[in-house]
Each structure stands twice: as C-alpha cells, then as structure tokens.
Amino acid sequence: MIALEEKNLQGYNQKLLDFLKGEHKSQEVLDINPRGQLPAFKHGNNILNESYAACLYLEEQFKSQGTRLIPMAAPEQALTYQRMFEGVPFMDKIANVIYYEWKFPEGERHDSSLKRHREALTAELKLWEGYLEKLGAGSYLAGKNFTLADVVVFPCIAYVFRFGLSEKNYPRLAGYYGLLKERPSVKTSWPKNWLETPQAEDKLKDI
Amino acid sequence: MIALEEKNLQGYNQKLLDFLKGEHKSQEVLDINPRGQLPAFKHGNNILNESYAACLYLEEQFKSQGTRLIPMAAPEQALTYQRMFEGVPFMDKIANVIYYEWKFPEGERHDSSLKRHREALTAELKLWEGYLEKLGAGSYLAGKNFTLADVVVFPCIAYVFRFGLSEKNYPRLAGYYGLLKERPSVKTSWPKNWLETPQAEDKLKDI
C-alpha cells in the first residue's frame, strides 16, 4: 500500500482481512494466491502475492509516475537493493521473537532458543542503528532520498516500536521512525487497528 | 554467478570460500559484508551482499547486455517477480530440513518439528511441480523464456536433487532440472565440489 500511494495509484481496491478469523484462507484469496497468504494483489490479470514482487512490479510499470523508488545512479541503486534485501532477515528475526509462541508449538519451545532469537534480533537492530548513524540525521535507508528500501523495511521498524522497542536505546531508529510516520503514503496506509491500540505488547522493551 | 554469466560479464574475479573453515567470517569478507555471510559482491565501489539484490542490480546496470532477465511485457514480468520471490520461502523450507541439525542445537530438536518441516517442504515442492505442469514441458519458471526467476530459484531445485529428491515423484521438476543443467551459465558456475560428489546425502529421498 505504501508503494501504491508513492506511485500515485490512489483509488485501488483494497480489503482488510482478519488472520485470526482465517480470512486469508478463504476461497476469494485462494483463487488469487494458492498459498492462502497476504498480501494477495492483482493488477489487471497479473497476480503478485509477494510484497517485494508487487513493489518491484509497480515501480517498473509506473516508472515515471509518482516517487522514483529505484534510483538511477549506480551507487544509490546498489544501496537501495542491498538494504531492501536485508529487510528479509530483519523481518524474519522480528517474527522469531514476536511470534515465537505462534511459530513454535508448546513442547517445542526452549528458553535457550528464545534467548538466541532475542540476541539475533538485538544484533540485527544494532546493525540498522549503525547504518542510520553513518548516513546522518534525516536520512532515509539508502541516503538522501526515499526509496523502495524504505517501502519494504519501514514496516519492520514500525513493528519493533509497536512491540515496545526503547526509543532511548535506539535513537537513530526512533528518529527514522518519527520521520517516516509523517510521510503521506505511510499515514494513509497506517493500519486502522494500530490507530486504536498504538502499542501491542512490550515484548521488545528490554531488547 | 549465473547472473554474471547470463549478462556476459565473464572475467569477473571470484574466490570460493569454505564455510566449514569459517572463511566467511574472515576480515576480507567482513570488510565488504559486516554480516560475515556469502555471497559478498563488489562492483566498482558498490557492494551487494544479498544474492537477489546483486542479481537485480546486474540486470538493471547491464540491461541491454546478454540475456534480458526481467521481461518487458507486464504479464511475463509479473510472473517473473512472483516466482522469483516465492524462491525465498522455498529456500527457507529446504534449509529447515537439510540443515535441521545445524539450525537447531541438540536438545531443541523434536521429531514433531522435523516432521512438520518435511511436510512443509513436500507441500512446497508440489506447488512448484504444479507450476511447471501448467506451463508445459520445456518451460522455464516464468514461461517460454529464461528469466531472473530461474537464476534465483534454480539453485533450490539443484539442492533438492543433490539431497536425493526422487525424479520419479517429481517428474516436472526433474525435467526442468535436466534442461537447466545443460545451460552454459549453469554449467560454468556449477560448484566444483558438486562435480566431485554429485550427491550429498539422501535426506529428501522419501519426501
């Protein structure tokens, strides 16, 4: 949705589904996405169900419309792709901690493994804190301009603060979060239920 | 390396490192990649350490050179991106089974979790078998042409057969594997130690 907003594609159809009610396994979703997962996205007859795939497709199909999300210059382009794909292990490490109980059934959980996952997430967060520190205040993830790296990685940052990450311990991430939160594409696509309950849990408080 | 070959970038420097000897944690790698992971890739001063990122960068920077890896037409382009990013959960599910002992320390392993991982990989393999069946014999992953989806997903297919997947149980995947194995970019980049020991283990024999 952030990519759709940035590419000035307002007016798209959308439907918010409830995971807890299993709505992502409905026939309506399965017709588009045999994996029964979200997002499920269709543009004309073209189906893209992986968020990174949909974002790259939208940028490529609407290159000169709205925000340019992949910079042309090689150094900025390289950094955009690099940070974008570091978003995959980042999200994975967040999920291992936040959704630990959901990912691992009772009887397969171990203090040692949760501890390891928390340490891995801490190391990951420090890496991103360092990236932002190096770029300086007011920077986006790949430099002076907002790019596809921000589109795909910002949701990770929003997640960690929603789950109680300390703004004091991660001042650069907190600054970046504050900057992006005010961006129109981010404001418009902000999840409704996040507005109602701004903080979910404090699982990441001490991380 | 497949992407480099397809884009006619022969003559690139390369160095094969040994994970077991911890060579991916050497200072030489850490200087390029603070994560201490492979691949670690540098083009001029531009660093790309995530394989998907490096592939997209190479395609974008050398668009009209060698094989066109992202189709221009929207339907083929959408399918290329879609299959490409389905490669992420595919590789993840392979690793959960093949590297189970490596990923989960002793004392945290459970028959129930290995069984679940094996079932998830089986479902994943059936999905890809179905994709190829729908496209017909001799197809690549996104249709009639070889694309970036093949570059990034073929290694998954090569892995599963190296670990003993039955060609009889997955005839379309076997056909695709046979087709790609003969492609010059794939032959040239074939791992040396895979030539010496064509099959690693038979962990996936009954999957």
Side-chain angles (χ1 to χ4, degrees), chain B residues 24 40 45 48-49 53 70 77 83 90-91 94-96 100 106 110-111 113 118 127 143 147 150 157 188 190 198 200:
Chain B
H24 55 305
N45 288 318
L48 294 122
N49 296 317
I70 304 280
Q77 184 179 105
R83 293 291 177 258
F90 191 4
M91 195 66 225
I94 293 171
N96 282 341
Y100 186 74
E106 220 185 325
H110 301 270
D111 291 347
S113 83
R118 288 178 66 92
L127 212 49
T147 68
D150 301 289
I157 314 280
T188 308
W190 202 261

Side-chain angles (χ1 to χ4, degrees), chain A residues 35 46 48-50 52-53 56 60-61 75 77-78 81-82 85-86 105 107-108 110 112-113 116 124 127, chain B residues 35 46 48-50 52-53 56 60-61 75 77-78 81-82 85-86 105 107-108 110 112-113 116 124 127:
Chain A
R35 294 178 184 270
N46 303 325
L48 293 123
N49 296 316
E50 298 286 335
Y52 278 51
L56 284 164
E60 194 69 19
Q61 293 296 314
Q77 184 177 105
Y81 283 133
Q82 173 60 22
F85 286 91
E86 285 184 76
E108 290 180 19
H110 301 270
S112 53
S113 83
R116 206 170 51 246
E124 184 73 28
L127 212 49
Chain B
R35 293 179 186 268
N46 303 325
L48 294 122
N49 296 317
E50 299 286 337
Y52 278 51
L56 284 165
E60 194 69 20
Q61 294 295 314
Q77 184 179 105
Y81 283 134
Q82 173 60 23
F85 286 92
E86 285 184 76
E108 289 180 19
H110 301 270
S112 54
S113 83
R116 205 171 53 247
E124 184 73 28
L127 212 49

